[in-house]
């Protein structure tokens, strides 16, 4: 197989991942298509769609999905509060079921395997037993995406072939180096925007974990970007419409305003691409 040249790298970020849809629109409408797609968490979800259909049509499909989720966020990520509390008590590990997410992805993507995709896709998850980064590139795509998006404490670990996986953002939130390792010479980074703003010291107990995670993910991202050789052309697309409100601990579960985020990120991405790739 020919080594990939252009890679789309889609990072994690929960509901903030809507901005990646706008970025995809800006890229695809300019004829920029991937030879390789890498995705983590919600980036794995968006990435699976574009790997299956790397045309501008996929943007309409994803926008429709995000609009549906925004209208009824319980459909994919949520649940009735009392049921969620009962599940947390019963399981001791999570408050939401992953079945609605898996069901919706099956409806949209079908029983697709990695081998069926139009473009090679790799999906990152955290392997529990090995305490390691794991990359799915064979087998069932929906299972891999559900594993990559298994947010600790919110969704259950995903079991595949007797082993267990959690959200890929734990180990590799924006997998830039992976793209280079796989032979990409041009990388487009689709991230959710928090990289663009400085962090502030936590002021509340629940902020400590968020800030700690942000330090870890940003440190790795910045290091991997700095270590890319000069021969690799790298573009970090702007989000356009994110704000400090999107840095809160609740932002990744807040689906309000996703349609506007898609529009703004598409406009910002278009302006960036027109300036840098003219």
């Amino acid at each position: 197989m020919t080594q990939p040249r252009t890679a789309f790298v889609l990072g994690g970020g929960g509901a903030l991942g809507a901005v990646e849809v706008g970025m995809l629109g800006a890229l695809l409408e300019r004829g920029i298509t991937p030879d390789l797609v890498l995705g983590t968490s919600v980036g794995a979800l968006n990435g699976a769609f574009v790997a299956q259909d790397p045309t501008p049509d996929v943007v309409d499909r994803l926008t429709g999905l995000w609009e549906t989720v925004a209208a009824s966020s319980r459909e994919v990520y949520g649940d009735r509060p009392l049921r969620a509390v009962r599940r947390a008590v019963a399981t001791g590990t999570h408050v939401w079921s992953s079945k609605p997410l898996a069901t919706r992805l099956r409806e949209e993507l079908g029983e697709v395997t990695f081998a069926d995709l139009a473009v090679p896709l790799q999906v990152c998850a955290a392997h529990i037993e090995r305490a390691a980064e794991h990359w799915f590139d064979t087998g069932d795509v929906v299972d891999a995406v559900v594993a990559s998006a298994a947010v600790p404490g919110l969704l259950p670990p995903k079991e595949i072939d007797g082993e267990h996986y959690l959200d890929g953002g734990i180990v590799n939130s924006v997998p830039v180096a992976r793209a280079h390792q796989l032979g990409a010479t041009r990388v487009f980074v689709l991230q959710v925007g928090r990289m663009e703003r400085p962090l502030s010291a936590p002021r509340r107990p629940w902020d400590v974990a968020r800030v700690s995670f942000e330090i870890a993910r940003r440190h790795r991202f910045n290091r991997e970007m700095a270590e890319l050789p000069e021969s690799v052309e790298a573009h970090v697309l702007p989000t356009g419409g994110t704000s400090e409100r999107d840095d809160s601990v609740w932002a990744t579960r807040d689906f309000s305003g996703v349609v506007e985020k898609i529009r703004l990120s598409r406009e910002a991405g278009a302006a960036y691409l027109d300036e840098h790739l003219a």
Side-chain angles (χ1 to χ4, degrees), residues 76-106:
V76 174
Y77 281 113
D79 210 339
R80 296 184 183 279
L82 182 58
R83 183 178 298 173
V85 170
R86 288 174 176 169
R87 184 179 291 110
V89 172
T91 66
T93 60
H94 58 279
V95 297
W96 295 337
S97 169
S98 60
K99 290 182 180 179
L101 173 61
T103 298
R104 186 57 192 274
L105 289 176
R106 295 276 178 212

PDB file of all heavy atoms in Angstrom, residues 76-106:
ATOM      1  N   VAL A  76     -27.438  10.208  22.859  1.00  0.00           N
ATOM      2  CA  VAL A  76     -26.138   9.587  22.674  1.00  0.00           C
ATOM      3  C   VAL A  76     -25.346   9.518  23.967  1.00  0.00           C
ATOM      4  O   VAL A  76     -24.839   8.480  24.343  1.00  0.00           O
ATOM      5  CB  VAL A  76     -25.326  10.349  21.601  1.00  0.00           C
ATOM      6  CG1 VAL A  76     -23.902   9.803  21.510  1.00  0.00           C
ATOM      7  CG2 VAL A  76     -26.017  10.226  20.250  1.00  0.00           C
ATOM      8  N   TYR A  77     -25.259  10.626  24.699  1.00  0.00           N
ATOM      9  CA  TYR A  77     -24.374  10.674  25.851  1.00  0.00           C
ATOM     10  C   TYR A  77     -25.103  10.718  27.190  1.00  0.00           C
ATOM     11  O   TYR A  77     -24.485  10.531  28.228  1.00  0.00           O
ATOM     12  CB  TYR A  77     -23.472  11.912  25.772  1.00  0.00           C
ATOM     13  CG  TYR A  77     -22.303  11.744  24.836  1.00  0.00           C
ATOM     14  CD1 TYR A  77     -22.225  12.492  23.670  1.00  0.00           C
ATOM     15  CD2 TYR A  77     -21.280  10.862  25.119  1.00  0.00           C
ATOM     16  CE1 TYR A  77     -21.151  12.360  22.808  1.00  0.00           C
ATOM     17  CE2 TYR A  77     -20.199  10.722  24.267  1.00  0.00           C
ATOM     18  CZ  TYR A  77     -20.144  11.477  23.117  1.00  0.00           C
ATOM     19  OH  TYR A  77     -19.081  11.347  22.270  1.00  0.00           O
ATOM     20  N   GLY A  78     -26.389  10.993  27.165  1.00  0.00           N
ATOM     21  CA  GLY A  78     -27.050  11.235  28.420  1.00  0.00           C
ATOM     22  C   GLY A  78     -27.991  10.140  28.871  1.00  0.00           C
ATOM     23  O   GLY A  78     -28.049   9.056  28.317  1.00  0.00           O
ATOM     24  N   ASP A  79     -28.757  10.457  29.920  1.00  0.00           N
ATOM     25  CA  ASP A  79     -29.710   9.519  30.478  1.00  0.00           C
ATOM     26  C   ASP A  79     -30.555  10.295  31.482  1.00  0.00           C
ATOM     27  O   ASP A  79     -30.216  11.404  31.872  1.00  0.00           O
ATOM     28  CB  ASP A  79     -28.984   8.369  31.184  1.00  0.00           C
ATOM     29  CG  ASP A  79     -29.782   7.078  31.137  1.00  0.00           C
ATOM     30  OD1 ASP A  79     -31.006   7.146  30.938  1.00  0.00           O
ATOM     31  OD2 ASP A  79     -29.168   6.016  31.301  1.00  0.00           O
ATOM     32  N   ARG A  80     -31.643   9.703  31.918  1.00  0.00           N
ATOM     33  CA  ARG A  80     -32.428  10.335  32.963  1.00  0.00           C
ATOM     34  C   ARG A  80     -31.604  10.357  34.246  1.00  0.00           C
ATOM     35  O   ARG A  80     -30.951   9.365  34.585  1.00  0.00           O
ATOM     36  CB  ARG A  80     -33.739   9.575  33.167  1.00  0.00           C
ATOM     37  CG  ARG A  80     -34.654   9.615  31.948  1.00  0.00           C
ATOM     38  CD  ARG A  80     -35.967   8.932  32.215  1.00  0.00           C
ATOM     39  NE  ARG A  80     -36.804   8.921  31.022  1.00  0.00           N
ATOM     40  CZ  ARG A  80     -37.550   9.939  30.620  1.00  0.00           C
ATOM     41  NH1 ARG A  80     -37.567  11.055  31.335  1.00  0.00           N
ATOM     42  NH2 ARG A  80     -38.269   9.855  29.519  1.00  0.00           N
ATOM     43  N   PRO A  81     -31.623  11.485  34.995  1.00  0.00           N
ATOM     44  CA  PRO A  81     -30.753  11.611  36.170  1.00  0.00           C
ATOM     45  C   PRO A  81     -30.879  10.464  37.165  1.00  0.00           C
ATOM     46  O   PRO A  81     -29.867   9.950  37.645  1.00  0.00           O
ATOM     47  CB  PRO A  81     -31.193  12.945  36.779  1.00  0.00           C
ATOM     48  CG  PRO A  81     -31.710  13.731  35.613  1.00  0.00           C
ATOM     49  CD  PRO A  81     -32.370  12.722  34.716  1.00  0.00           C
ATOM     50  N   LEU A  82     -32.123  10.066  37.487  1.00  0.00           N
ATOM     51  CA  LEU A  82     -32.302   9.009  38.471  1.00  0.00           C
ATOM     52  C   LEU A  82     -31.716   7.695  37.978  1.00  0.00           C
ATOM     53  O   LEU A  82     -31.058   6.964  38.730  1.00  0.00           O
ATOM     54  CB  LEU A  82     -33.786   8.841  38.809  1.00  0.00           C
ATOM     55  CG  LEU A  82     -34.109   7.772  39.881  1.00  0.00           C
ATOM     56  CD1 LEU A  82     -33.373   8.087  41.174  1.00  0.00           C
ATOM     57  CD2 LEU A  82     -35.616   7.711  40.122  1.00  0.00           C
ATOM     58  N   ARG A  83     -31.925   7.394  36.687  1.00  0.00           N
ATOM     59  CA  ARG A  83     -31.374   6.165  36.115  1.00  0.00           C
ATOM     60  C   ARG A  83     -29.850   6.214  36.134  1.00  0.00           C
ATOM     61  O   ARG A  83     -29.194   5.207  36.406  1.00  0.00           O
ATOM     62  CB  ARG A  83     -31.887   5.974  34.693  1.00  0.00           C
ATOM     63  CG  ARG A  83     -31.425   4.669  34.050  1.00  0.00           C
ATOM     64  CD  ARG A  83     -32.013   4.522  32.654  1.00  0.00           C
ATOM     65  NE  ARG A  83     -33.462   4.467  32.692  1.00  0.00           N
ATOM     66  CZ  ARG A  83     -34.225   4.473  31.602  1.00  0.00           C
ATOM     67  NH1 ARG A  83     -33.677   4.564  30.400  1.00  0.00           N
ATOM     68  NH2 ARG A  83     -35.546   4.407  31.708  1.00  0.00           N
ATOM     69  N   ALA A  84     -29.282   7.383  35.845  1.00  0.00           N
ATOM     70  CA  ALA A  84     -27.826   7.518  35.866  1.00  0.00           C
ATOM     71  C   ALA A  84     -27.279   7.284  37.268  1.00  0.00           C
ATOM     72  O   ALA A  84     -26.245   6.621  37.446  1.00  0.00           O
ATOM     73  CB  ALA A  84     -27.426   8.900  35.366  1.00  0.00           C
ATOM     74  N   VAL A  85     -27.962   7.828  38.288  1.00  0.00           N
ATOM     75  CA  VAL A  85     -27.518   7.626  39.664  1.00  0.00           C
ATOM     76  C   VAL A  85     -27.600   6.153  40.034  1.00  0.00           C
ATOM     77  O   VAL A  85     -26.674   5.592  40.652  1.00  0.00           O
ATOM     78  CB  VAL A  85     -28.358   8.480  40.635  1.00  0.00           C
ATOM     79  CG1 VAL A  85     -28.054   8.094  42.079  1.00  0.00           C
ATOM     80  CG2 VAL A  85     -28.085   9.965  40.414  1.00  0.00           C
ATOM     81  N   ARG A  86     -28.688   5.504  39.655  1.00  0.00           N
ATOM     82  CA  ARG A  86     -28.831   4.076  39.953  1.00  0.00           C
ATOM     83  C   ARG A  86     -27.744   3.262  39.277  1.00  0.00           C
ATOM     84  O   ARG A  86     -27.195   2.325  39.858  1.00  0.00           O
ATOM     85  CB  ARG A  86     -30.210   3.596  39.497  1.00  0.00           C
ATOM     86  CG  ARG A  86     -31.362   4.093  40.361  1.00  0.00           C
ATOM     87  CD  ARG A  86     -32.692   3.709  39.759  1.00  0.00           C
ATOM     88  NE  ARG A  86     -33.815   4.087  40.618  1.00  0.00           N
ATOM     89  CZ  ARG A  86     -35.090   4.061  40.244  1.00  0.00           C
ATOM     90  NH1 ARG A  86     -35.400   3.663  39.003  1.00  0.00           N
ATOM     91  NH2 ARG A  86     -36.037   4.424  41.078  1.00  0.00           N
ATOM     92  N   ARG A  87     -27.400   3.627  38.030  1.00  0.00           N
ATOM     93  CA  ARG A  87     -26.354   2.901  37.321  1.00  0.00           C
ATOM     94  C   ARG A  87     -25.000   3.098  38.009  1.00  0.00           C
ATOM     95  O   ARG A  87     -24.214   2.166  38.136  1.00  0.00           O
ATOM     96  CB  ARG A  87     -26.282   3.333  35.860  1.00  0.00           C
ATOM     97  CG  ARG A  87     -25.260   2.539  35.060  1.00  0.00           C
ATOM     98  CD  ARG A  87     -25.207   2.959  33.601  1.00  0.00           C
ATOM     99  NE  ARG A  87     -26.419   2.591  32.886  1.00  0.00           N
ATOM    100  CZ  ARG A  87     -27.333   3.453  32.449  1.00  0.00           C
ATOM    101  NH1 ARG A  87     -27.156   4.745  32.636  1.00  0.00           N
ATOM    102  NH2 ARG A  87     -28.406   3.037  31.810  1.00  0.00           N
ATOM    103  N   ALA A  88     -24.728   4.316  38.441  1.00  0.00           N
ATOM    104  CA  ALA A  88     -23.457   4.588  39.115  1.00  0.00           C
ATOM    105  C   ALA A  88     -23.333   3.770  40.393  1.00  0.00           C
ATOM    106  O   ALA A  88     -22.265   3.215  40.697  1.00  0.00           O
ATOM    107  CB  ALA A  88     -23.339   6.079  39.426  1.00  0.00           C
ATOM    108  N   VAL A  89     -24.435   3.672  41.142  1.00  0.00           N
ATOM    109  CA  VAL A  89     -24.415   2.892  42.378  1.00  0.00           C
ATOM    110  C   VAL A  89     -24.257   1.410  42.075  1.00  0.00           C
ATOM    111  O   VAL A  89     -23.493   0.688  42.735  1.00  0.00           O
ATOM    112  CB  VAL A  89     -25.705   3.143  43.189  1.00  0.00           C
ATOM    113  CG1 VAL A  89     -25.783   2.178  44.374  1.00  0.00           C
ATOM    114  CG2 VAL A  89     -25.759   4.586  43.667  1.00  0.00           C
ATOM    115  N   ALA A  90     -24.961   0.936  41.049  1.00  0.00           N
ATOM    116  CA  ALA A  90     -24.938  -0.491  40.723  1.00  0.00           C
ATOM    117  C   ALA A  90     -23.594  -0.935  40.160  1.00  0.00           C
ATOM    118  O   ALA A  90     -23.090  -2.015  40.492  1.00  0.00           O
ATOM    119  CB  ALA A  90     -26.055  -0.817  39.732  1.00  0.00           C
ATOM    120  N   THR A  91     -23.004  -0.122  39.300  1.00  0.00           N
ATOM    121  CA  THR A  91     -21.766  -0.528  38.635  1.00  0.00           C
ATOM    122  C   THR A  91     -20.510  -0.094  39.380  1.00  0.00           C
ATOM    123  O   THR A  91     -19.484  -0.761  39.326  1.00  0.00           O
ATOM    124  CB  THR A  91     -21.685   0.050  37.209  1.00  0.00           C
ATOM    125  OG1 THR A  91     -21.582   1.480  37.291  1.00  0.00           O
ATOM    126  CG2 THR A  91     -22.915  -0.311  36.404  1.00  0.00           C
ATOM    127  N   GLY A  92     -20.607   1.054  40.035  1.00  0.00           N
ATOM    128  CA  GLY A  92     -19.437   1.603  40.705  1.00  0.00           C
ATOM    129  C   GLY A  92     -18.418   2.214  39.770  1.00  0.00           C
ATOM    130  O   GLY A  92     -17.369   2.692  40.217  1.00  0.00           O
ATOM    131  N   THR A  93     -18.704   2.217  38.445  1.00  0.00           N
ATOM    132  CA  THR A  93     -17.696   2.698  37.486  1.00  0.00           C
ATOM    133  C   THR A  93     -18.192   3.775  36.534  1.00  0.00           C
ATOM    134  O   THR A  93     -17.391   4.542  36.011  1.00  0.00           O
ATOM    135  CB  THR A  93     -17.173   1.525  36.623  1.00  0.00           C
ATOM    136  OG1 THR A  93     -18.287   0.939  35.906  1.00  0.00           O
ATOM    137  CG2 THR A  93     -16.493   0.481  37.481  1.00  0.00           C
ATOM    138  N   HIS A  94     -19.511   3.860  36.276  1.00  0.00           N
ATOM    139  CA  HIS A  94     -19.970   4.800  35.262  1.00  0.00           C
ATOM    140  C   HIS A  94     -21.437   5.175  35.489  1.00  0.00           C
ATOM    141  O   HIS A  94     -22.172   4.444  36.151  1.00  0.00           O
ATOM    142  CB  HIS A  94     -19.804   4.215  33.855  1.00  0.00           C
ATOM    143  CG  HIS A  94     -20.528   2.928  33.638  1.00  0.00           C
ATOM    144  ND1 HIS A  94     -20.040   1.701  34.040  1.00  0.00           N
ATOM    145  CD2 HIS A  94     -21.734   2.672  33.064  1.00  0.00           C
ATOM    146  CE1 HIS A  94     -20.894   0.744  33.725  1.00  0.00           C
ATOM    147  NE2 HIS A  94     -21.932   1.309  33.131  1.00  0.00           N
ATOM    148  N   VAL A  95     -21.809   6.337  34.895  1.00  0.00           N
ATOM    149  CA  VAL A  95     -23.175   6.831  35.082  1.00  0.00           C
ATOM    150  C   VAL A  95     -24.036   6.665  33.836  1.00  0.00           C
ATOM    151  O   VAL A  95     -25.268   6.714  33.924  1.00  0.00           O
ATOM    152  CB  VAL A  95     -23.178   8.312  35.522  1.00  0.00           C
ATOM    153  CG1 VAL A  95     -22.493   8.474  36.857  1.00  0.00           C
ATOM    154  CG2 VAL A  95     -22.519   9.197  34.471  1.00  0.00           C
ATOM    155  N   TRP A  96     -23.424   6.520  32.669  1.00  0.00           N
ATOM    156  CA  TRP A  96     -24.178   6.411  31.421  1.00  0.00           C
ATOM    157  C   TRP A  96     -23.887   5.090  30.732  1.00  0.00           C
ATOM    158  O   TRP A  96     -22.799   4.509  30.870  1.00  0.00           O
ATOM    159  CB  TRP A  96     -23.830   7.552  30.461  1.00  0.00           C
ATOM    160  CG  TRP A  96     -24.232   8.895  30.946  1.00  0.00           C
ATOM    161  CD1 TRP A  96     -25.199   9.208  31.863  1.00  0.00           C
ATOM    162  CD2 TRP A  96     -23.647  10.146  30.547  1.00  0.00           C
ATOM    163  NE1 TRP A  96     -25.260  10.555  32.054  1.00  0.00           N
ATOM    164  CE2 TRP A  96     -24.330  11.161  31.274  1.00  0.00           C
ATOM    165  CE3 TRP A  96     -22.642  10.500  29.665  1.00  0.00           C
ATOM    166  CZ2 TRP A  96     -24.023  12.505  31.129  1.00  0.00           C
ATOM    167  CZ3 TRP A  96     -22.334  11.848  29.514  1.00  0.00           C
ATOM    168  CH2 TRP A  96     -23.022  12.833  30.242  1.00  0.00           C
ATOM    169  N   SER A  97     -24.840   4.646  29.947  1.00  0.00           N
ATOM    170  CA  SER A  97     -24.643   3.464  29.109  1.00  0.00           C
ATOM    171  C   SER A  97     -24.028   3.876  27.776  1.00  0.00           C
ATOM    172  O   SER A  97     -24.321   4.954  27.252  1.00  0.00           O
ATOM    173  CB  SER A  97     -25.993   2.784  28.860  1.00  0.00           C
ATOM    174  OG  SER A  97     -25.885   1.787  27.852  1.00  0.00           O
ATOM    175  N   SER A  98     -23.195   3.021  27.212  1.00  0.00           N
ATOM    176  CA  SER A  98     -22.620   3.289  25.892  1.00  0.00           C
ATOM    177  C   SER A  98     -23.504   2.752  24.766  1.00  0.00           C
ATOM    178  O   SER A  98     -23.211   2.972  23.587  1.00  0.00           O
ATOM    179  CB  SER A  98     -21.225   2.667  25.790  1.00  0.00           C
ATOM    180  OG  SER A  98     -21.293   1.263  25.983  1.00  0.00           O
ATOM    181  N   LYS A  99     -24.598   2.059  25.114  1.00  0.00           N
ATOM    182  CA  LYS A  99     -25.443   1.463  24.085  1.00  0.00           C
ATOM    183  C   LYS A  99     -26.081   2.488  23.155  1.00  0.00           C
ATOM    184  O   LYS A  99     -26.122   2.276  21.928  1.00  0.00           O
ATOM    185  CB  LYS A  99     -26.523   0.591  24.736  1.00  0.00           C
ATOM    186  CG  LYS A  99     -25.967  -0.680  25.371  1.00  0.00           C
ATOM    187  CD  LYS A  99     -27.070  -1.541  25.975  1.00  0.00           C
ATOM    188  CE  LYS A  99     -26.485  -2.802  26.612  1.00  0.00           C
ATOM    189  NZ  LYS A  99     -27.553  -3.637  27.238  1.00  0.00           N
ATOM    190  N   PRO A 100     -26.595   3.627  23.643  1.00  0.00           N
ATOM    191  CA  PRO A 100     -27.171   4.614  22.703  1.00  0.00           C
ATOM    192  C   PRO A 100     -26.154   5.124  21.692  1.00  0.00           C
ATOM    193  O   PRO A 100     -26.478   5.296  20.511  1.00  0.00           O
ATOM    194  CB  PRO A 100     -27.656   5.730  23.633  1.00  0.00           C
ATOM    195  CG  PRO A 100     -27.917   5.053  24.928  1.00  0.00           C
ATOM    196  CD  PRO A 100     -26.854   4.013  25.045  1.00  0.00           C
ATOM    197  N   LEU A 101     -24.923   5.359  22.119  1.00  0.00           N
ATOM    198  CA  LEU A 101     -23.879   5.809  21.204  1.00  0.00           C
ATOM    199  C   LEU A 101     -23.591   4.743  20.160  1.00  0.00           C
ATOM    200  O   LEU A 101     -23.534   5.031  18.952  1.00  0.00           O
ATOM    201  CB  LEU A 101     -22.610   6.144  21.981  1.00  0.00           C
ATOM    202  CG  LEU A 101     -21.363   6.473  21.140  1.00  0.00           C
ATOM    203  CD1 LEU A 101     -21.606   7.686  20.266  1.00  0.00           C
ATOM    204  CD2 LEU A 101     -20.155   6.667  22.041  1.00  0.00           C
ATOM    205  N   ALA A 102     -23.414   3.507  20.604  1.00  0.00           N
ATOM    206  CA  ALA A 102     -23.119   2.420  19.669  1.00  0.00           C
ATOM    207  C   ALA A 102     -24.266   2.205  18.690  1.00  0.00           C
ATOM    208  O   ALA A 102     -24.043   2.004  17.486  1.00  0.00           O
ATOM    209  CB  ALA A 102     -22.844   1.135  20.446  1.00  0.00           C
ATOM    210  N   THR A 103     -25.498   2.280  19.184  1.00  0.00           N
ATOM    211  CA  THR A 103     -26.659   2.085  18.315  1.00  0.00           C
ATOM    212  C   THR A 103     -26.728   3.159  17.243  1.00  0.00           C
ATOM    213  O   THR A 103     -26.959   2.864  16.055  1.00  0.00           O
ATOM    214  CB  THR A 103     -27.956   2.092  19.147  1.00  0.00           C
ATOM    215  OG1 THR A 103     -27.924   0.999  20.076  1.00  0.00           O
ATOM    216  CG2 THR A 103     -29.176   1.958  18.251  1.00  0.00           C
ATOM    217  N   ARG A 104     -26.508   4.412  17.643  1.00  0.00           N
ATOM    218  CA  ARG A 104     -26.583   5.499  16.664  1.00  0.00           C
ATOM    219  C   ARG A 104     -25.472   5.375  15.629  1.00  0.00           C
ATOM    220  O   ARG A 104     -25.685   5.617  14.433  1.00  0.00           O
ATOM    221  CB  ARG A 104     -26.500   6.850  17.371  1.00  0.00           C
ATOM    222  CG  ARG A 104     -26.714   8.029  16.414  1.00  0.00           C
ATOM    223  CD  ARG A 104     -28.077   7.887  15.718  1.00  0.00           C
ATOM    224  NE  ARG A 104     -28.205   8.814  14.614  1.00  0.00           N
ATOM    225  CZ  ARG A 104     -28.615  10.068  14.720  1.00  0.00           C
ATOM    226  NH1 ARG A 104     -28.953  10.551  15.910  1.00  0.00           N
ATOM    227  NH2 ARG A 104     -28.713  10.826  13.660  1.00  0.00           N
ATOM    228  N   LEU A 105     -24.292   4.990  16.055  1.00  0.00           N
ATOM    229  CA  LEU A 105     -23.193   4.828  15.106  1.00  0.00           C
ATOM    230  C   LEU A 105     -23.469   3.682  14.131  1.00  0.00           C
ATOM    231  O   LEU A 105     -23.137   3.774  12.946  1.00  0.00           O
ATOM    232  CB  LEU A 105     -21.883   4.587  15.852  1.00  0.00           C
ATOM    233  CG  LEU A 105     -21.317   5.795  16.603  1.00  0.00           C
ATOM    234  CD1 LEU A 105     -20.067   5.395  17.390  1.00  0.00           C
ATOM    235  CD2 LEU A 105     -20.993   6.927  15.641  1.00  0.00           C
ATOM    236  N   ARG A 106     -24.079   2.606  14.620  1.00  0.00           N
ATOM    237  CA  ARG A 106     -24.448   1.499  13.713  1.00  0.00           C
ATOM    238  C   ARG A 106     -25.450   1.978  12.668  1.00  0.00           C
ATOM    239  O   ARG A 106     -25.372   1.600  11.502  1.00  0.00           O
ATOM    240  CB  ARG A 106     -25.068   0.357  14.510  1.00  0.00           C
ATOM    241  CG  ARG A 106     -24.153  -0.338  15.482  1.00  0.00           C
ATOM    242  CD  ARG A 106     -23.328  -1.404  14.838  1.00  0.00           C
ATOM    243  NE  ARG A 106     -22.441  -2.007  15.818  1.00  0.00           N
ATOM    244  CZ  ARG A 106     -21.250  -2.480  15.557  1.00  0.00           C
ATOM    245  NH1 ARG A 106     -20.789  -2.433  14.308  1.00  0.00           N
ATOM    246  NH2 ARG A 106     -20.490  -3.011  16.490  1.00  0.00           N
TER     247      ARG A 106
END
